[in-house]
Amino acid sequence: MAANQEEQEQEQRRRLIAAATRFPLPSGCRFSYGTAGFRADGATMAPAVCRAGILAALRSVKLAGAAVGIVITASHNPIGDNGVKIADPDGGMMAQHWEPFADALANAPDPDALLQMVLQFAKDEGIPLGGEDTAQVLLGRDTRPTGAYLLDAALQGINAIVGARAVDMGILTTPQLHWMVRSKNKGVMASESYYFRQLIGSFRRMLELVPKGKGGDEVAKKLIVDGANGIGGVKLEQIKVELSGIDISVRNSGKEGEGILNHMCGADFVQKERVTPHGFNPEDVGVRCASLDGDADRLVYFRLSSASDNRVDLVDGDKILSLFALFIREQLDIVNNNGGQANKSLSARLGIVQTAYANGASTLFLKSLGLEVVFTPTGVKYLHKRALEYDIGIYFEANGHGTVVFSEDFISQLESLSNELSSQADIGSAQYHAVMRLLAASQLINQAVGDALSGLLLVEAILQYKGWSFQDWCGLYSDLPSRQLKVKVKDRSVIVTTDAETKVSQPSSLQELIDKETANYTHGRCFVRPSGTEDVVRVYAEASTQVEADGLAKSVAHHVERLLG
Ligand SMILES: CC(=O)N[C@H]1[C@@H](OP(=O)(O)O)O[C@H](CO)[C@@H](O)[C@@H]1O
Ligand SMILES: [Mg+2]
């Protein structure tokens, strides 16, 4: 072995031992890379975050030095929590087949075990350690107080891999960081100002394409946004002056003294509690409002129904998805039915992706439009992957996380059609406008991951295009009453599900009981699954009245307790 190579190997070993020694794993601590990466009390997270740094650098080396991302956030969870997740070079979640290694690495009991694990994994996966400039990792974090400390732990993890370079992108929304990773690998400027420019520019183009006479009055342009006292509010404050054609005021904006992150506010709170967030009052009755979560990757809309209490009419992820689907279908129809010239039509497979938590009324509505609707297990990584199988894939979780993904092939079809039409002086035609709207929408909506800021701007542009009020949108269909319950059991992994989590395969007696209970209710639907982020079993039930949905959820929860308690 060349002396130089031996030195580098020794250096690699030394660095890994040093990093692991600096952040020892407290005894009894166990991390699991779930749907949202590692997540726990922020004060206990440093060992997992440091090891996530090592992991991200290894992933970049494996992928020939392509940029990989690390986000330090615990999303909608309380301010004391924190977490870490890794973004792959395409801006999506880390490939699932690396998750078992992520778990093993995070739980390596001591520095030597960690070193052996990394060396073995590198050998098995063919990861060449010890080279120069072999990896780059972009880092972002949200506004949590433990963020700076954990960022340092992540940096030390990354620097434990020889040849890895860490780039701190600053305090960002989660989708901004995912966008930057994707952009970096596509050779686009991966800066915040470029991200903002893309959002602002494509939003402006969308508004320019609103038919004359639509677009609504000043009241329709008014929007109040609950920023969850997190980073989304901060960023929206930063760009709102540059967004013409819309009048945004931000509450719970994350400014000093305005309130606590995610406390009595934010998309998760509004969607679960169905009441106004902190900072809203009776004067807001009837105004269109939106709510972001703590890292701004979830978005829901709401309206305070009356001045006498704080209940809201909710527009959740399912209804945002429905609005997007209607809009895109309409544009495709305009493109394909205009003039009927076959050489100017677009063949596009449009697919809708939901999970079992999607309200049954939304699925019925989408299917009644003739759309293809498919289901995946819970978790963005499953939805996003499935959506990529279409020319245009639209996915949303009911809780407000989702986006619209366009295939590269479809984008080039759009671009050549727009060139063809403009060269034939067809730029005044409805067909040309529809093509331009689809192109602008593909620029506006984040292609890497669900993004509350870009989703909000697409919603606002579509409402103006359609000349729709909140009421028009909300009235697309009526949600079936539903209830979600959590059940604490000894070991939630005992439950195994199938058919996109809609059926329990083990213990089989449990599915029989669920079927029996469900049969007692009109429009009854019920499923149970172990949570991927909390130590609970979740029960979801739907029925034609709230009392019935509550009754079904409760009786099934009892069976879960009795069988697995
Ligand atoms: C019912 C529900 O809302 N589940 C959430 C929650 O997952 P669970 O596996 O249900 O704990 O957190 C995930 C990550 O944020 C999110 O993707 C998912 O939708
Ligand atoms: Mg989030």
Side-chain angles (χ1 to χ4, degrees):
M1 191 183 288
N4 191 22
Q5 193 183 345
E6 203 170 310
E7 272 167 30
Q8 270 180 332
E9 279 185 10
Q10 267 182 16
E11 171 65 7
Q12 182 55 82
R13 286 164 192 263
R14 191 194 62 73
R15 286 201 203 177
L16 281 165
I17 292 285
T21 308
R22 215 163 293 140
F23 299 103
L25 192 70
S27 64
C29 215
R30 256 209 93 71
F31 290 102
S32 159
Y33 199 93
T35 8
F38 298 121
R39 210 171 269 186
D41 181 333
T44 67
M45 283 293 300
V49 175
C50 170
R51 291 157 189 223
I54 296 174
L55 183 70
L58 288 173
R59 183 106 188 109
S60 177
V61 180
K62 164 82 190 180
L63 301 171
V68 164
I70 285 191
V71 197
I72 297 171
T73 178
S75 181
H76 57 280
N77 291 128
I79 188 163
D81 288 4
N82 217 328
V84 63
K85 60 182 163 190
I86 294 171
D88 253 4
D90 63 358
M93 303 297 173
M94 182 183 75
Q96 284 162 44
H97 68 276
W98 271 47
E99 288 180 9
F101 178 62
D103 283 349
L105 191 63
N107 296 307
D110 55 66
D112 201 50
L114 183 137
L115 172 66
Q116 295 313 324
M117 210 174 264
V118 170
L119 296 179
Q120 187 61 44
F121 185 70
K123 198 166 153 216
D124 296 346
E125 283 278 324
I127 301 172
L129 293 177
E132 278 172 36
D133 293 331
T134 49
Q136 47 177 336
V137 182
L138 310 188
L139 297 112
R141 64 180 175 98
D142 70 13
T143 54
R144 284 162 206 273
T146 48
Y149 161 64
L150 293 178
L151 181 88
D152 180 55
L155 288 173
Q156 299 206 33
I158 297 164
N159 292 328
I161 297 298
V162 171
R165 188 165 61 93
V167 189
D168 177 10
M169 305 306 288
I171 301 183
L172 300 170
T173 72
T174 294
Q176 276 185 309
L177 196 274
H178 284 262
W179 183 93
M180 287 172 185
V181 169
R182 183 183 166 85
S183 298
K184 181 95 191 164
N185 292 311
K186 280 184 164 290
V188 181
M189 274 275 278
S191 70
E192 177 167 81
S193 65
Y194 212 79
Y195 167 87
F196 284 150
R197 240 197 292 159
Q198 182 164 331
L199 242 56
I200 293 162
S202 50
F203 179 65
R204 196 191 56 238
R205 285 197 293 285
M206 289 288 290
L207 293 195
E208 284 165 0
L209 291 159
V210 169
K212 300 258 168 318
K214 290 269 181 75
D217 53 20
E218 289 314 307
V219 179
K221 289 177 181 163
K222 189 168 171 198
L223 173 72
I224 310 175
V225 180
D226 158 28
N229 287 312
I231 188 63
V234 175
K235 301 295 179 189
L236 195 55
E237 278 290 2
Q238 239 172 293
I239 59 165
K240 71 175 197 189
V241 287
E242 292 186 63
L243 297 165
S244 49
I246 177 172
D247 169 18
I248 297 179
S249 38
V250 185
R251 308 248 175 98
N252 305 322
S253 69
K255 276 196 211 101
E256 204 51 51
E258 215 184 328
I260 299 167
L261 176 71
N262 296 328
H263 179 65
M264 307 287 284
C265 61
D268 192 64
F269 173 82
V270 174
Q271 194 234 352
K272 297 240 161 70
E273 306 298 327
R274 313 221 159 181
V275 296
T276 48
H278 173 79
F280 286 67
N281 52 57
E283 277 166 32
D284 302 322
V285 172
V287 182
R288 189 170 65 258
C289 302
S291 188
L292 322 176
D293 75 335
D295 64 336
D297 64 354
R298 283 196 202 174
L299 169 71
V300 297
Y301 270 74
F302 66 92
R303 181 183 63 177
L304 180 55
S305 343
S306 91
S308 57
D309 61 34
N310 64 348
R311 272 177 308 159
V312 299
D313 298 321
L314 179 75
V315 165
D316 62 3
D318 303 335
K319 227 167 237 175
I320 298 175
L321 182 156
S322 300
L323 182 74
F324 289 175
L326 272 176
F327 171 76
I328 284 168
R329 239 281 290 273
E330 195 174 331
Q331 303 317 305
L332 288 174
D333 286 347
I334 297 173
V335 175
N336 286 334
N337 297 329
N338 245 284
Q341 296 172 40
N343 63 334
K344 286 192 191 170
S345 69
L346 285 170
S347 64
R349 267 192 82 210
L350 172 60
I352 311 293
V353 189
Q354 297 192 304
T355 73
Y357 290 103
N359 195 279
S362 75
T363 310
L364 222 56
F365 171 76
L366 293 160
K367 286 189 172 166
S368 76
L369 298 174
L371 293 165
E372 182 174 333
V373 186
V374 294
F375 288 83
T376 71
T378 304
V380 190
K381 59 189 174 193
Y382 301 109
L383 289 126
H384 191 93
K385 195 163 166 224
R386 189 73 171 85
L388 290 175
E389 291 176 19
Y390 296 92
D391 293 306
I392 308 177
I394 314 179
Y395 72 86
F396 262 87
E397 292 193 310
N399 59 31
H401 186 113
T403 192
V404 185
V405 287
F406 295 79
S407 73
E408 285 186 9
D409 179 55
F410 181 70
I411 296 287
S412 5
Q413 277 194 61
L414 279 177
E415 280 166 350
S416 52
L417 189 52
S418 95
N419 289 339
E420 202 183 322
L421 290 168
S422 62
S423 69
Q424 293 169 6
D426 271 342
I427 54 171
S429 70
Q431 191 181 25
Y432 181 71
H433 286 172
V435 169
M436 296 313 282
R437 276 186 211 108
L438 288 170
L439 276 173
S442 75
Q443 289 280 313
L444 179 53
I445 195 84
N446 196 319
Q447 295 298 289
V449 76
D451 179 342
L453 295 183
S454 75
L456 177 141
L457 293 178
L458 186 57
V459 165
E460 292 299 313
I462 296 175
L463 291 180
Q464 293 208 22
Y465 162 76
K466 290 184 101 46
W468 272 11
S469 66
F470 181 91
Q471 186 54 46
D472 295 325
W473 181 18
C474 202
L476 277 181
Y477 59 82
S478 301
D479 279 320
L480 276 167
S482 66
R483 176 63 60 204
Q484 255 195 71
L485 295 175
K486 295 181 196 183
V487 185
K488 250 334 252 158
V489 298
K490 269 197 221 102
D491 177 8
R492 71 193 199 278
S493 69
V494 168
I495 296 187
V496 182
T497 63
T498 175
D499 288 355
E501 303 179 326
T502 54
K503 294 260 178 301
V504 172
S505 52
Q506 273 170 34
S508 60
S509 58
L510 180 55
Q511 188 55 48
E512 283 164 26
L513 291 165
I514 296 172
D515 289 341
K516 220 163 122 207
E517 292 294 346
T518 309
N520 296 330
Y521 297 87
T522 327
H523 297 302
R525 183 169 74 93
C526 182
F527 65 93
V528 306
R529 56 175 279 279
S531 159
T533 60
E534 287 175 63
D535 189 15
V536 295
V537 171
R538 294 195 200 282
V539 177
Y540 178 91
E542 240 173 48
S544 55
T545 66
Q546 191 61 56
V547 173
E548 285 188 302
D550 291 351
L552 178 53
K554 222 165 131 189
S555 47
V556 169
H558 276 312
H559 289 307
V560 174
E561 261 165 11
R562 204 173 40 78
L563 278 175
L564 307 171

